[in-house]
Amino acid sequence: MIKLTGLNHKEVIINSSIIEKIEEVPETVITLLNGNKYLVEESVDEVIDKIIEFKKRINNANYR
């Protein structure tokens, strides 16, 4: 799960495992596998960085 900021400036938490695609048009649009779309303030690169950090945390937790 990653924490992002919606265009209404409220926090939204998204399951990064079900992200189908991320687009910048010019705001960032995240489309989930079920077709739901979320507009967020973070750039595509910031979202990708958050996904990578989340996956690192999960992988490190599995080795403890």
Side-chain angles (χ1 to χ4, degrees), residues 2-58:
I2 57 172
K3 292 181 185 179
L4 300 170
T5 308
L7 293 184
N8 60 359
H9 307 292
K10 293 190 178 183
E11 183 178 84
V12 61
I13 300 172
I14 295 178
N15 182 345
S16 60
S17 298
I18 61 170
I19 293 176
E20 180 179 357
K21 65 181 177 178
I22 306 170
E23 304 171 270
E24 216 164 49
V25 290
E27 62 280 320
T28 303
V29 181
I30 298 174
T31 304
L32 304 182
L33 291 173
N34 64 6
N36 289 350
K37 294 180 186 272
Y38 293 88
L39 298 172
V40 297
E41 292 182 356
E42 289 82 1
S43 70
V44 169
D45 289 334
E46 289 172 314
V47 174
I48 291 169
D49 288 344
K50 287 179 180 265
I51 293 169
I52 291 168
E53 286 304 312
F54 172 72
K55 291 187 182 272
K56 282 181 183 177
R57 273 198 326 254
I58 296 301

